[in-house]
Amino acid sequence: MALSLSLKTSVHLLNSTSVAIPQIFAADFRLRSPFRRPVVSSISNSLRCLCSSSSSSSSASPMSLEFSTPNSQFYDCLIYSRAYWVTQGVIAWNVDVSEGSCYLYASSIAGLSFSEDGIDGYDLRIKLEAESGSLPSNVIEKFPHIKNYKPFKVPSDFDVRDLVKRQLAVVCFDAEGRMIQGTGLQLPGVLDELFSYDGPLGAHFTPEGVSLHLWAPTAQEVSVCIYKNPLDESPMEICPLNEANGVWSTNGASSWEGCYYVYKVSVYHPSTLKVETCYANDPYARGLSGDGSKTFLVNLNSDDLKPEGWDKLADQKPCLRSFSDISIYELHVRDFSANDETVGPENRGGYLAFTLKDSAGVNHLQKLSDAGLTHLHLLPAFQFGGVDDEKENWKSIDTSLLEGLPPDSAEAQALITEIQNDHGYNWGYNPVLWGVPKGSYASDPAGPYRIIEFRKMVQALNRIGLNVVLDVVYNHLHASGPHDKDSVLDKIVPGYYLRRNNDGFVENSTCVNNTASEQYMVDRMIRDDLLNWVVNYKVDGFRFDLMGHIMKATMVKAKDAIGSLRKETDGVDGSRVYLYGEGWNFGEVAQNGRGINASQFNLSGTGIGSFNDRIRDATLGGSPFGHPLQQGFITGLLLQPNGHGHGSEATQELMLSTAKDHIQIGMAANLKHYVLTNHEGKEVKGSEVLMHDATPVAYASEPMETINYVSAHDNETLFDIISLKTPMEISVDERCRINHLASSLIALSQGIPFFHAGDEILRSKSLDRDSYNSGDWFNRLDFSYDSNNWGVGLPPKGKNEHSWPLIKPRLQDPSFKPQRSHIIATLHNFLDLLRIRYSSPLFRLDTAKAIQERVRFHNTGPSSIPGAIVMSIEDGHKGLPNLSQIDPIYSFIVVIFNAHPSEFSFVSPVLKDRNLELHPVQVMSGDEIVKKSVYDAISGSFTVPAITTTVFVESRNG
């Protein structure tokens, strides 16, 4: 918006969830000026103070307000924080004072304001000395994005610990004493140098009482309000906390246990330019009130919170020989049971649904576990925003109103969109408190129930053979500022926990409120939180959302800290806890812009896994951000055109052969040093095969570092994307086989296979590409296998309307909808894939060396047949003395993936004269088509039916 007054000066105010407009301007822009003198008669076209913004488009954008106020160009400077206090003795600023001077100003009451003569309202002024040369090397390492800034020396005879509690600004003047520029400061560097802390934080319980510790070095005062009951409005006790080197603490009585508390923090907040009184939960909270407004004083070591046998669970964990044995199934807590009628209404959508013995969902998970699946990845189950924990506040729709609507109706999505912010559904990538289980999944969000029920869930899943992975979101926070109910960290130490750009505005490239793990206490908090979940909830792994926005050092230290946990001392074996995540490299952290980040390439050699988007895109075609009709290896590129403009036949042949190279590298665990023959017939390393932007395809050093997948909660489901990309005229039988073919590429690859819940039962979200708050209707999972949820209406308009012209005719066509027989057949075929993977360690090789020695790809080079992959895996045997034997049953395996819509025949002289037979699992399979696969030993020829994956094995006793 713009307010046009007599003289217009652009003032930019933070566009954030906090109170962005200072109170002095809030009531009447014309009358309430903070400046003492009248406006000068003319204003330069180029205001000296208003430097061009260096903000990226992903950062919080200032909104422009135009109004008349004397010297408002200098008031504007306080809104920005373009200087960095990087060490106790150095401030970094991108200015050249030349013959001029520079001063640091401080105000304990946030009274700084600019006048024509300079700056007013300060209670301390310090002259800074401009230094020649560059910033210290340790500063550049910590803050690479300001490496070219100039250092200004801070005198040593001031109490910096006191200064950081005040409103601060730096101002430079020319040689005649005229103000040139001014700005606020970013403080994380000096806070880390002076206040880094490794002592206790949060609540600690002893027989003598309860102690509280809060890290808040910029706070002026801190007290704690103790409440007897979660709904009490008035505290029963208010206790001031005492500060020692930035840590505020107090000791309370044992009677505090079971009570609730909030911190009252008086602190300067740069988003409002005021000293604010903030009421905040404890960042190290381990429990909450039902409405999330108060922290529950709960001792997680209390026997009352432990299910029977909890302390012995470490000895009952599913066996895990190696990380290469892992396979992962990604599931949303609510999706699992919200629509399961075999689960009582009181348990649907929550933790306790996983503890039932004979529900359809638990039986389904037991089938997967019995077939070999090892890990269940749960979407965020910590305290997140977007879903009220108190179920009585939810809004809902009578599904009977939706069930009779046409499959391409827009009415269902319209009704769901009306309540999408008030129903009980959200994926949960809106972190509020990292260390507390989400209350909406508990039978009662208040008190200890969420803690006990989360533990019961982990215990129950372990007992059916599944390790539990928790999806963690440390890259951003749901809220910030001094007043938002979901803001926590930014109320305690404003401007520290959130990563800011060079103008001082919060970076939003992750979505909103990027966190800064390059800061010591952010790094520490992440590590502490991971240890909390491992020790107190005995989870078996972590998936890191947007892991590339976290520093590599944080990830490595976290892995080491977890790995050091021992059953004898900690009650858990940390060495079996697996870490993986999204190593995407974008935003302000790209190319190590804020330090060495946890991106795909940087993580090589760490043993931390990252998602392999290369095999996903090559398999399906295009990318989630490209045209939805772009075809790939399994969806008909060249072989079954869908009418989309893919270029000439020669272009499509090149695209298909390139996709095949990318898939084969992925199947070799995306190892950067793995050597294979590419489509040109050249022997190349995985790192020498390039994507369209010249980025290497391969990045991993060991197989555990690659998570192979074709679908996840993001974007369309596997069945939906296949239904979009394949020609409309093919049958649903073919689409079901293509769905299975995609799963087989992942299940039989080296590295760690990852599956989205429902891949195995043709799950559909009615072509919704982003169902994070689309409700139960579009996210339904049906473990009765009666429906795959196809055709329940056009997907929500917000993220899908641009594709409605493609979606509508597909939903209209009844031939697209699978029947129960298709769903069950796909499930059985998927279980067969798991059984095959776990029938031989050759599918789960531990090292890069073993993969290079044993895995070979045939049907390669310029004369190869397109649309088919032939892979062999060899074990040691009498004829190959230099290769050790690791499989007591099979000495040789050949897997053929035929994406052709017709039978594929292949002759290989190097594969003849072997005793290869169809894998016993496929011999017993309900898939009659795969049984038509043939191998002729004399000629070395293979014949595989259309859209089929066939596994041939050579038995040692053959």
Side-chain angles (χ1 to χ4, degrees), residues 61-91:
S61 310
M63 63 180 180
S64 181
L65 300 178
E66 296 182 352
F67 57 90
S68 173
T69 182
N71 254 9
S72 59
Q73 66 266 38
F74 294 118
Y75 181 86
D76 193 26
C77 295
L78 291 177
I79 295 174
Y80 293 93
S81 296
R82 289 172 171 159
Y84 295 73
W85 200 337
V86 291
T87 70
Q88 185 172 355
V90 177
I91 289 175

Side-chain angles (χ1 to χ4, degrees), residues 223-428:
S223 57
V224 63
C225 304
I226 306 293
Y227 300 82
K228 181 65 175 176
N229 300 301
L231 299 180
D232 289 352
E233 295 183 4
S234 299
M236 68 177 191
E237 193 174 348
I238 300 177
C239 299
L241 273 64
N242 300 312
E243 184 190 11
N245 200 34
V247 178
W248 300 77
S249 63
T250 189
N251 294 314
S254 297
S255 58
W256 279 12
E257 184 172 350
C259 293
Y260 295 80
Y261 69 105
V262 294
Y263 286 120
K264 180 182 178 182
V265 182
S266 176
V267 64
Y268 172 73
H269 209 293
S271 74
T272 61
L273 309 183
K274 294 167 59 179
V275 175
E276 298 281 2
T277 298
C278 301
Y279 292 87
N281 278 304
D282 191 331
Y284 276 71
R286 297 297 178 247
L288 285 172
S289 59
D291 63 0
S293 66
K294 302 178 184 71
T295 302
F296 182 40
L297 274 163
V298 59
N299 182 0
L300 296 182
N301 290 321
S302 170
D303 289 339
D304 293 338
L305 304 183
K306 298 177 180 178
E308 185 178 353
W310 180 251
D311 288 332
K312 298 179 180 179
L313 185 60
D315 296 321
Q316 301 166 359
K317 290 282 183 179
C319 179
L320 186 65
R321 177 191 63 90
S322 160
F323 286 150
S324 291
D325 286 341
I326 291 175
S327 53
I328 302 169
Y329 185 80
E330 181 197 43
L331 179 64
H332 184 267
V333 171
R334 183 165 177 81
D335 285 353
F336 174 67
S337 60
N339 296 283
D340 190 344
E341 294 185 358
T342 66
V343 175
E346 70 280 4
N347 290 328
R348 288 180 196 161
Y351 302 126
L352 291 179
F354 291 91
T355 68
L356 304 179
K357 299 296 184 184
D358 294 312
S359 72
V362 170
N363 286 338
H364 184 83
L365 293 181
Q366 187 70 69
K367 292 173 189 174
L368 297 174
S369 174
D370 290 345
L373 187 78
T374 66
H375 283 64
L376 182 67
H377 161 169
L378 296 174
L379 264 66
F382 52 77
Q383 185 65 15
F384 59 79
V387 172
D388 196 317
D389 286 345
E390 297 176 310
K391 300 178 180 65
E392 60 268 25
N393 296 329
W394 293 357
K395 295 179 181 178
S396 61
I397 293 173
D398 183 354
T399 56
S400 66
L401 299 176
L402 309 179
E403 288 168 353
L405 296 174
D408 63 334
S409 169
E411 189 173 344
Q413 65 83 30
L415 291 170
I416 288 165
T417 300
E418 286 180 5
I419 64 166
Q420 65 183 2
N421 296 320
D422 299 301
H423 55 39
Y425 195 92
N426 196 289
W427 281 346

Side-chain angles (χ1 to χ4, degrees), residues 17 289 338 528 597 619 638 648 658 760 798 812-813 820 836 846 876:
T17 57
S289 59
D528 286 348
N597 62 323
T619 300
L638 179 67
S648 66
T658 300
E760 75 285 8
Q812 283 176 339
D813 189 338
R820 176 179 169 83
I836 291 171
D846 289 316

Side-chain angles (χ1 to χ4, degrees), residues 94 112 152 186 218 237 255 285 298 354 361 533 601 702 768 799 801 841 862-863:
N94 193 24
L112 295 181
F152 291 82
Q186 299 186 39
T218 62
E237 193 174 348
S255 58
V298 59
F354 291 91
W533 287 106
F601 290 96
E702 294 294 340
D768 190 349
K799 296 288 182 72
E801 186 180 18
S863 62

Side-chain angles (χ1 to χ4, degrees), residues 31 60 96 108 128 137 159 271 348 407 442 476 506 598 657 681 705 791 796 828:
L31 300 177
D96 186 357
S108 59
L128 305 177
S137 58
D159 184 0
S271 74
R348 288 180 196 161
H476 72 273
V506 175
S657 59
E705 294 173 357
H828 289 164

Side-chain angles (χ1 to χ4, degrees), residues 833-849:
L833 289 175
L834 291 176
R835 294 183 185 109
I836 291 171
R837 179 176 183 82
Y838 289 98
S839 71
S840 172
L842 295 176
F843 287 114
R844 313 184 310 279
L845 298 172
D846 289 316
T847 66
K849 181 175 183 290

Side-chain angles (χ1 to χ4, degrees), residues 506-553:
V506 175
E507 293 280 9
N508 291 324
S509 56
T510 62
C511 177
V512 66
N513 297 320
N514 294 11
T515 54
S517 64
E518 58 271 26
Q519 264 78 281
Y520 182 83
M521 295 302 287
V522 184
D523 168 279
R524 182 202 157 166
M525 189 174 186
I526 291 171
R527 289 182 282 118
D528 286 348
D529 191 66
L530 292 166
L531 293 172
N532 165 53
W533 287 106
V534 175
V535 173
N536 293 319
Y537 293 96
K538 304 188 190 298
V539 300
D540 307 293
F542 297 96
R543 177 266 192 192
F544 291 79
D545 182 64
L546 297 183
M547 179 174 62
H549 270 67
I550 301 171
M551 292 300 107
K552 174 183 176 181

Side-chain angles (χ1 to χ4, degrees), residues 9 14 59 114 138 190-191 202 239 247 290 374 458 543 572 791 833 847 958:
T9 301
L14 283 171
S59 301
F114 287 99
N138 63 315
V190 69
L191 295 183
C239 299
V247 178
T374 66
V458 172
R543 177 266 192 192
V572 293
L833 289 175
T847 66

